Amino acid sequence: MKTVTVDLGKRSYPIYIGSGLLNQGELIRKHVPKKTKHLLIVTNETIAPIYLERCKKAFTDGGLQVDEVILPDGEKYKSVEVLNQVWTRALECRLDRGCTFVALGGGVVGDMTGFAAACYQRGVPFIQVPTTVMSQVDSSVGGKTGVNHKLGKNMIGAFHQPQLVLVDTDSLYSLPDRELASGLSEVVKYGLIRDAPFFLWLEANVDRLLARDPTTLAEAIERSCLNKAAVVAADEREGGVRATLNLGHTFGHAIETATGYGNWLHGEAVAVGTRMAADMSYRLGWIDQDLVRRVNNLLDRCRLPAKVPAGMTSEQFSNLMAVDKKVEAGKLRLVLLKGPLGNCVVTGDFEKTKLEETLKAFCA
């Protein structure tokens, strides 16, 4: 088992990474607050038949009472309306402030459970048990929680840190190939924005990742979590460096919103957004053409899309990107690559004509 710590002082918590961890109930229970006697597991209809009973047993073996709520599966259900099912179930079970919520699933379940926990009785603890690459390397770590709005992705939410992130790598064996590839877009991101040696490692090992080699997967998850934990420790509430984790996301969120949540997987949209960010960075003269080539080549090898959705226009991109959490005082800021591999900036100071050129090139 590997352990990565998210260092937030008294609110620090571990990320455990390894095979068969969901069967280690004692390991999980030591991170349940002492006052908790009753837990609510939030999962979805895809994950529940595979992992719910195993997850429940990890807690009931310690004498804890456990209830569950099973949500529909998919990004299109990441809404306040569906989230209300969690609060309703918690109230039906008469859960008090001493309860703990458990997120068992991918990024949608994790984000929604965290937000539900942040709001229920003005805040109760929660535990993350992520079951997808995307959630294991990114969304389960750092306390960002929330839901989508029809006008913008993840625009309604709160920062709420978990007690524990338990990454059982065995869960990846049941993951569809498309979901596996989608999660790799976030892994590639860390190499581009801050960890050049990791990017080189990915270039050498991407085929093993796609083949689900357990040692290679565990290494990629650990290195991703080390990068994410370091950024979160330095900037928990995204006042500075944490915004760099959004490479490709402003373009990508526009794609998700335009196509309807769930039609494109998050990582697929981010992959195209990353290609667009690299293209724009090159047009600005901030990176060389060889880096653009390497970005595109690695994303191609990850089996991720290269083109924007058919029919999406540059005007649509512009309008949707204007509704983004990185907009400040009406000014769009983007995460762009600048300098050698492993360096980036978050800035609104760029030639707008270069953004227009990138949008037109991808929407042609």
Side-chain angles (χ1 to χ4, degrees):
M1 183 182 77
K2 301 172 183 292
T3 303
V4 175
T5 300
V6 181
D7 186 1
L8 293 171
K10 292 181 179 179
R11 294 176 298 111
S12 298
Y13 55 91
I15 306 165
Y16 295 140
I17 304 162
S19 172
L21 296 188
L22 203 49
N23 298 322
Q24 297 186 31
E26 188 175 347
L27 176 70
I28 303 171
R29 290 193 300 273
K30 72 180 185 180
H31 295 284
V32 176
K34 290 183 179 179
K35 66 179 180 179
T36 291
K37 308 300 179 192
H38 198 164
L39 299 99
L40 179 68
I41 298 176
V42 183
T43 188
N44 65 38
E45 56 198 12
T46 301
I47 294 299
I50 310 172
Y51 301 114
L52 178 57
E53 289 307 313
R54 200 181 316 172
C55 188
K56 288 176 71 173
K57 188 174 186 299
F59 298 107
T60 56
D61 280 356
L64 297 167
Q65 182 179 351
V66 180
D67 282 290
E68 73 271 355
V69 57
I70 300 173
L71 305 178
D73 184 14
E75 186 81 29
K76 66 182 178 180
Y77 300 110
K78 190 179 176 182
S79 66
V80 171
E81 291 76 19
V82 175
L83 184 63
N84 199 47
Q85 295 179 33
V86 178
W87 293 318
T88 298
R89 183 63 175 150
L91 290 166
E92 289 173 346
C93 296
R94 299 185 179 182
L95 296 181
D96 59 25
R97 283 182 172 173
C99 74
T100 294
F101 287 6
V102 179
L104 174 65
V108 171
V109 167
D111 284 6
M112 292 178 73
T113 305
F115 188 37
C119 297
Y120 188 67
Q121 299 198 18
R122 297 187 175 89
V124 297
F126 85 111
I127 289 170
Q128 287 270 21
V129 185
T131 60
T132 65
V133 175
M134 177 69 68
S135 56
Q136 291 176 357
V137 303
D138 185 61
S139 62
S140 68
V141 179
K144 277 189 178 181
T145 73
V147 294
N148 299 329
H149 188 281
K150 65 181 180 179
L151 297 180
K153 183 177 169 68
N154 291 334
M155 295 301 287
I156 315 297
F159 286 98
H160 191 51
Q161 300 292 343
Q163 303 292 116
L164 160 72
V165 179
L166 185 89
V167 177
D168 188 334
T169 53
D170 291 354
S171 65
L172 299 182
Y173 298 124
S174 62
L175 195 66
D177 289 344
R178 186 183 172 196
E179 291 268 5
L180 179 70
S182 173
L184 293 181
S185 67
E186 297 284 6
V187 178
V188 171
K189 168 189 74 180
Y190 294 116
L192 286 171
I193 65 171
R194 68 188 312 271
D195 192 348
F198 188 31
F199 190 89
L200 299 178
W201 182 90
L202 288 168
E203 289 180 313
N205 289 280
V206 65
D207 295 335
R208 292 187 184 90
L209 289 172
L210 290 169
R212 307 185 194 226
D213 175 71
T215 302
T216 310
L217 281 170
E219 175 74 8
I221 293 166
E222 181 188 23
R223 292 182 70 164
S224 297
C225 288
L226 283 167
N227 276 292
K228 181 72 178 279
V231 171
V232 171
D235 178 23
E236 181 183 359
R237 291 182 173 259
E238 203 167 299
V241 68
R242 186 166 180 176
T244 62
L245 296 173
N246 291 309
L247 176 69
H249 284 58
T250 302
F251 296 106
H253 286 171
I255 291 172
E256 290 182 87
T257 303
T259 57
Y261 301 123
N263 289 306
W264 276 55
L265 295 179
H266 176 62
E268 294 172 335
V270 167
V272 174
T274 300
R275 296 177 193 266
M276 296 175 79
D279 178 88
M280 183 176 164
S281 300
Y282 171 69
R283 292 175 188 272
L284 288 163
W286 292 356
I287 61 173
D288 60 32
Q289 195 165 25
D290 184 60
L291 182 51
V292 178
R293 179 192 61 78
R294 291 173 67 187
V295 169
N296 286 321
N297 181 57
L298 183 54
L299 292 173
D300 286 344
R301 292 175 63 201
C302 290
R303 302 170 191 168
L304 288 162
K307 297 180 180 180
V308 304
M312 192 167 180
T313 67
S314 57
E315 289 76 19
Q316 273 183 295
F317 266 104
S318 295
N319 290 335
L320 290 168
M321 289 166 69
V323 186
D324 183 88
K325 295 186 293 298
K326 290 182 292 302
V327 171
E328 286 188 354
K331 188 174 187 178
L332 176 65
R333 298 186 307 145
L334 294 172
V335 185
L336 297 169
L337 304 177
K338 190 171 186 178
L341 174 64
N343 290 272
C344 68
V345 292
V346 183
T347 182
D349 296 324
F350 52 79
E351 297 174 56
K352 301 301 183 286
T353 55
K354 302 305 181 184
L355 172 58
E356 293 167 5
E357 288 174 11
T358 292
L359 293 178
K360 288 177 180 177
F362 276 80
C363 295

